[in-house]
Amino acid sequence: PPALADYMQAITDTLRQEAERLDIEVDADLVKQYIQNEQTAGDFAIYYELYKKYKSDYKVGDILSGNAGENIIKRAENARFDERYTLLGLLLEAVDREAAQVLADDEDLTVIKHTLEELRDRSGEGEQAEDILAEKLEDIANERERLTASNSLSQYKDNSLVHRRAMLEKFLPAAKLGGFGAVREEYLKEVAEFKSSLSETGRHFDNLFIFCEKAFGSGQELLILVTELAADPTTARYISSYGCEEYYKHDKSLMFYERRLEIINELDKLSEQEDNQ
């Protein structure tokens, strides 16, 4: 049921992800360590088994790539609502993860762009490009050490620092051979790779809606999809930053639907008032 899906997504995402990463079986005994209510822990363990089954049965990657087979579409179309809801959760989880990666990469590239602007200015004044990059790498190492010592290094920040360090390390050979110009060429390759990833993520968002249209028509699943994308900070920020035509199209439909309900409610109230006169 939807309430159990909420347990999965809102309460125990970290537990599930860490258990999968460490290859630990998720059962009632494990869940009880985090959820004290035995009934809830048992429900979650049962739901998790269904979650794994649906994740295996429905090829999420194929759906988002636009290659969902007719058998998958038909299964979703004929599924009960709890199965449909779980499938939506799997799809939303996948695009949320991709959106988060795109946003993080964009932020890192922006930081590196500012570093390259400084590299351009300082190398123009006679400093060696490789020395400047080595200094920036040391800054990253010091920041990571400082945050670790203060117990304030989040996973997100750590990933960002590691990613930025990897890019600068990749630029070092170019800096030694060709200075700023060569580094700039390497940076533009990173930008091109990011744009390719951004385009792929955009297609996945569009294919998510296309699949749901084929499987569910104009049913409540599309309303849930639009609402969840708007409510989630990551996907909402992604759509605001890069756009999504399929989302905008269905968001308008949702607004029209809600306005229609408002009009119907207003008419019902007027009818009740007339009946009471």
Side-chain angles (χ1 to χ4, degrees):
L4 293 179
D6 289 341
Y7 293 149
M8 168 72 76
Q9 293 180 3
I11 303 174
T12 55
D13 270 354
T14 301
L15 166 64
R16 176 178 55 77
Q17 291 166 7
E18 285 302 300
E20 289 177 356
R21 184 177 67 83
L22 298 171
D23 196 24
I24 299 172
E25 183 180 356
V26 177
D27 56 18
D29 290 335
L30 176 63
V31 176
K32 285 176 187 175
Q33 298 179 41
Y34 297 88
I35 301 176
Q36 299 303 312
N37 183 283
E38 288 197 13
Q39 179 65 44
T40 301
D43 288 344
F44 175 83
I46 294 170
Y47 182 82
Y48 182 72
E49 288 302 313
L50 288 174
Y51 174 89
K52 288 197 297 183
K53 180 179 183 335
Y54 295 152
K55 190 173 184 178
S56 173
D57 291 351
Y58 287 104
K59 309 300 182 184
V60 171
D62 289 346
I63 291 173
L64 296 182
S65 297
N67 298 317
E70 193 63 32
N71 59 323
I72 291 180
I73 295 172
K74 282 295 181 185
R75 171 167 177 174
E77 181 182 355
N78 297 323
R80 292 171 47 180
F81 180 71
D82 58 343
E83 184 171 335
R84 293 183 177 197
Y85 192 89
T86 303
L87 174 58
L88 282 176
L90 288 168
L91 294 168
L92 285 165
E93 180 182 60
V95 295
D96 183 88
R97 187 165 53 246
E98 288 190 44
Q101 189 62 59
V102 165
L103 290 165
D105 288 349
D106 198 351
E107 288 181 6
D108 291 342
L109 283 169
T110 299
V111 173
I112 295 297
K113 180 183 177 183
H114 294 322
T115 299
L116 262 62
E117 290 171 350
E118 182 181 344
L119 176 65
R120 177 197 61 203
D121 295 341
R122 290 173 60 182
S123 60
E125 295 173 357
E127 294 186 60
Q128 295 297 312
E130 62 266 32
D131 292 339
I132 300 169
L133 289 184
E135 175 190 310
K136 295 301 178 182
L137 283 167
E138 186 175 353
D139 289 344
I140 290 174
N142 290 337
E143 182 178 4
R144 196 160 180 253
E145 185 178 338
R146 176 179 58 80
L147 291 172
T148 301
S150 63
N151 200 30
S152 55
L153 181 63
S154 68
Q155 187 63 58
Y156 179 87
K157 183 65 174 178
D158 191 33
N159 290 342
S160 175
L161 291 172
V162 169
H163 184 212
R164 285 155 49 190
R165 181 185 66 195
M167 279 194 282
L168 293 181
E169 288 174 343
K170 189 186 294 185
F171 296 165
L172 266 177
K176 293 176 182 178
L177 291 173
F180 169 73
V183 173
R184 181 176 180 275
E185 290 302 315
E186 291 300 316
Y187 172 75
L188 291 177
K189 291 178 185 178
E190 296 288 332
V191 172
E193 189 175 315
F194 167 75
K195 288 181 178 178
S196 176
S197 176
L198 176 60
S199 295
E200 183 178 35
T201 300
R203 289 192 296 272
H204 289 175
F205 268 80
D206 288 340
N207 288 331
L208 168 59
F209 280 97
I210 292 169
F211 170 80
C212 288
E213 281 183 332
K214 290 180 180 178
F216 309 130
S218 57
Q220 61 184 326
E221 290 80 8
L222 277 168
L223 299 179
I224 293 172
L225 180 60
V226 171
T227 302
E228 290 293 334
L229 289 172
D232 182 88
T234 300
T235 51
R237 186 177 160 210
Y238 170 90
I239 292 169
S240 175
S241 298
Y242 310 110
C244 177
E245 287 302 318
E246 289 292 327
Y247 171 84
Y248 294 140
K249 181 175 73 176
H250 290 89
D251 186 43
K252 288 180 181 177
S253 299
L254 174 59
M255 287 190 291
F256 288 142
Y257 173 77
E258 290 176 340
R259 180 56 185 153
R260 181 171 174 270
L261 289 181
E262 289 177 6
I263 293 171
I264 291 173
N265 288 334
E266 290 172 4
L267 290 174
D268 287 343
K269 289 178 181 177
L270 287 173
S271 178
E272 288 177 5
Q273 291 174 0
E274 290 175 358
D275 290 342
N276 293 330
Q277 288 178 355

